[in-house]
Amino acid sequence: MRTDIIAAIATPAGEGAVGIVRLSGAGAIALTERVFQRRGRQPLQSHRVYYGAVVDPDTNEVLDRALLIPFFAPRSYTGEEVAELHCHGSPYLLRRVLDVLCRHGARPAEPGEFTLRAFLNGKLDLAQAEAVADLIRARSDAQLRSALALHTGKLSQQVQRLSDALLAIVAQVEAHLDFSEEIGEVNPDALALPIQTLIEQLDALLKDARTGRILREGARVAIVGRPNVGKSSLLNALLGEARAIVTDIPGTTRDAIEESFLIEGLPVTIMDTAGLRESADVVEQLGIERARRAAEHADLILFVYDLTMPDREADRRLLRTLPADTPKVLVGNKVDLCASSPAPELLETHPTAETVSISALTGEGIDALKQAILRALQLSRVGEETATLTHTRHIYAVQQAQQHLKHALESLQMHLPPDLVAVDLRSAWLELGAITGATADEELIHRIFRDFCIGK
Ligand SMILES: Nc1nc2c(ncn2[C@@H]2O[C@H](COP(=O)(O)OP(=O)(O)OP(=O)(O)O)[C@@H](O)[C@H]2O)c(=O)[nH]1
Ligand SMILES: [Mg+2]
């Protein structure tokens, strides 16, 4: 375990009212005192604010008037001795202060190193550390809420409970392996039930995972529909710029076009695609293939149809060929040309889909469409009751753990040797432990903290 003193500017680059230089490690406070002159000689107390001057001890030059806050170990962010210098928010000044500190025994911190130390000292687990980065990056209420839920340890506790229950089963199987003469062979029926229960509990966690991931990483939205209904016009209307080519010739869009923008802080990647129809044109066929793939990988489909075309049958047939489980918004376009009418024919197959009438030409209904997109993604529910999986890493670990448990269950039911069952149960336990960091290896830990900013 490293114990050297790390130092970094903790506030963002650029001018500000206040700029903070932070140090952590055994001796960090004594080191800071060497560059900080204050009135009186009483020893510093933890969690108190001291006023004084930051001075370069080599030249006695006063760099700034500043505040010093000492935090004694272990009552600090990192669990180590921490000192914070609150200076004026000048990037040049802060760099000078950092240089002086590094000349006298500190070294510049790596990205995320403060939080890494907090993790290594047991101040927070791995999932909570990841939540710190989420909190800093949050751009909407929903993101803030889910980051806070993760940070308070809601998910960690839930995972810990499952992991403890799993370990109890592992212990049971291993006891039977080690002491089969004393306590008899493994009874498959007695084990199957708790394993089944765990599988179901993991299912419950995975249920909201899709929305959780969208919330953190953004949503992929595909605009799909027949040729000439106004898909490219809709892309342009949502972006507020003429990004895609629009003509009155059906089959204008060939390649899939992708652009990103924010809806109330949620990053949305939107894809305009080729109109779907039977086509003999090779280029168009390739475009149509791409459109189908985009629809398959989308978190949400905007199904656009033309309100001025009375016949809905072709739309209905097309709608049925799209992935059934993907949420959809049914978008009736060109409402400037005719009265809006809901499309009961389309709702037959998708009774719960959101419906909106818009004009991609005049912009009418575009705001309502954005709201419908947010509703259809069902993000508001995230983090309300149970902990929600928001990180791909956590989702993957839960899925893997579940796979191992299912495998263990099969082995039990097929009366395979119990040591095989034990191996699967152990693997599942390792996967769950990787979420909180209990069983995470060093490489994983470093990969996670590398993405942090310096000073955090
Ligand atoms: N009046 C009116 N015309 C529209 C509207 N939206 C699109 N159009 C027109 O409809 C025609 C087709 O629009 P596009 O956006 O190219 O349609 P598309 O669905 O991308 O067509 P393909 O790429 O061929 O599949 C163009 O002439 C547009 O100007 C609208 O809301 N109102
Ligand atoms: Mg187009």
Side-chain angles (χ1 to χ4, degrees):
M1 168 106 198
R2 288 184 291 182
T3 54
D4 53 351
I5 301 172
I6 52 172
I9 301 167
T11 37
E15 294 172 12
V18 180
I20 300 175
V21 177
R22 179 152 69 160
L23 297 93
S24 179
I29 295 173
L31 168 62
T32 312
E33 280 208 278
R34 289 178 60 191
V35 307
F36 189 78
Q37 285 178 357
R38 63 188 162 104
R39 245 193 245 155
R41 296 194 168 274
Q42 294 95 338
L44 294 174
Q45 286 179 275
S46 190
H47 294 74
R48 296 264 170 144
V49 183
Y50 296 90
Y51 175 68
V54 182
V55 175
D56 182 343
D58 295 334
T59 59
N60 274 329
E61 180 193 359
V62 174
L63 297 176
D64 195 14
R65 319 224 119 249
L67 300 176
L68 164 64
I69 310 177
F71 300 86
F72 294 177
R75 286 177 55 218
S76 71
Y77 181 68
T78 58
E80 304 172 333
E81 214 176 291
V82 166
E84 279 184 13
L85 279 173
H86 292 223
C87 305
H88 291 96
S90 144
Y92 179 73
L93 163 69
L94 294 170
R95 192 123 283 289
R96 288 275 320 260
V97 174
L98 187 62
D99 284 345
V100 171
L101 289 165
C102 288
R103 249 192 285 125
H104 288 87
R107 78 161 162 81
E110 313 260 342
E113 201 172 1
F114 287 88
T115 309
L116 170 64
R117 289 186 173 198
F119 165 67
L120 293 174
N121 290 322
K123 281 279 165 178
L124 28 74
D125 65 36
L126 206 51
Q128 287 176 302
E130 287 170 302
V132 172
D134 290 354
L135 257 179
I136 292 173
R137 290 181 192 141
R139 276 177 177 68
S140 69
D141 282 351
Q143 286 176 346
L144 208 52
R145 218 173 33 234
S146 80
L148 269 174
L150 191 60
H151 191 253
T152 52
K154 211 167 166 183
L155 175 68
S156 303
Q157 285 155 15
Q158 210 156 325
V159 168
Q160 193 58 50
R161 269 197 301 276
L162 296 173
S163 173
D164 289 346
L166 179 51
L167 203 56
I169 305 173
V170 175
Q172 220 178 321
V173 177
E174 288 181 350
H176 281 286
L177 285 175
D178 294 344
F179 307 106
S180 58
E181 280 167 23
E182 290 90 335
I183 57 176
E185 300 289 332
V186 171
N187 174 358
D189 295 334
L191 278 180
L193 186 66
I195 295 178
Q196 186 60 46
T197 308
L198 274 176
I199 292 174
E200 282 160 21
Q201 284 167 328
L202 293 180
D203 250 342
L205 262 183
L206 286 171
K207 192 168 62 74
D208 285 338
R210 192 191 64 89
T211 27
R213 178 189 54 73
I214 291 172
L215 192 62
R216 213 180 76 82
E217 293 173 4
R220 294 180 66 77
V221 174
I223 306 179
V224 179
R226 292 165 62 208
N228 224 36
V229 294
K231 299 179 296 301
S232 300
S233 307
L234 173 56
L235 175 88
N236 293 345
L238 284 168
L239 291 177
E241 61 176 290
R243 169 70 180 81
I245 297 173
V246 168
T247 75
D248 55 5
I249 307 163
T252 299
T253 305
R254 302 300 184 89
D255 216 345
I257 295 180
E258 201 177 290
E259 285 290 333
S260 294
F261 66 111
L262 294 177
I263 304 180
E264 291 185 6
L266 179 80
V268 173
T269 300
I270 193 135
M271 278 159 291
D272 176 28
T273 63
L276 297 178
R277 64 170 170 185
E278 296 294 325
S279 169
D281 182 308
V282 182
V283 181
E284 192 178 353
Q285 276 174 7
L286 289 173
I288 289 172
E289 237 170 75
R290 286 192 181 189
R292 294 251 174 227
R293 260 206 309 280
E296 263 158 41
H297 293 126
D299 299 310
L300 176 73
I301 293 174
L302 300 186
F303 183 80
V304 185
Y305 61 98
D306 188 336
L307 287 168
T308 62
M309 312 275 274
D311 178 22
R312 278 295 97 72
E313 187 45 37
D315 291 313
R316 194 162 75 145
R317 253 184 311 181
L318 176 56
L319 194 51
R320 267 205 300 269
T321 66
L322 297 176
D325 293 337
T326 310
K328 295 179 191 69
V329 179
L330 306 178
V331 186
N333 189 30
K334 311 193 185 178
V335 73
D336 53 298
L337 293 182
C338 65
S340 108
S341 62
E345 310 90 326
L346 300 182
L347 280 169
E348 252 168 41
T349 45
H350 292 75
T352 57
E354 294 276 345
T355 57
V356 197
S357 296
I358 63 154
S359 165
L361 201 65
T362 66
E364 184 184 343
I366 294 295
D367 283 336
L369 173 60
K370 289 182 180 172
Q371 293 306 318
I373 291 174
L374 291 182
R375 274 199 306 276
L377 289 168
Q378 299 193 319
L379 300 180
S380 55
R381 289 178 27 241
V382 170
E384 273 174 4
E385 291 149 38
T386 54
T388 305
L389 297 169
T390 51
H391 285 245
T392 309
R393 183 179 90 76
H394 303 163
I395 296 169
Y396 184 71
V398 170
Q399 284 169 339
Q400 290 296 104
Q402 205 186 33
Q403 277 307 315
H404 288 303
L405 288 178
K406 284 181 179 163
H407 208 236
L409 200 57
E410 277 168 28
S411 304
L412 268 180
Q413 282 156 353
M414 291 162 66
H415 297 279
L416 295 180
D419 42 347
L420 282 181
V421 179
V423 168
D424 271 320
L425 292 176
R426 276 237 164 251
S427 307
W429 179 76
L430 284 174
E431 289 291 347
L432 286 185
I435 295 176
T436 57
T439 64
D441 57 33
E442 205 165 315
E443 201 213 302
L444 170 67
I445 290 167
H446 281 278
R447 196 155 15 107
I448 287 172
F449 286 99
R450 221 176 30 213
D451 289 341
F452 277 56
C453 44
I454 290 184
K456 188 64 240 175

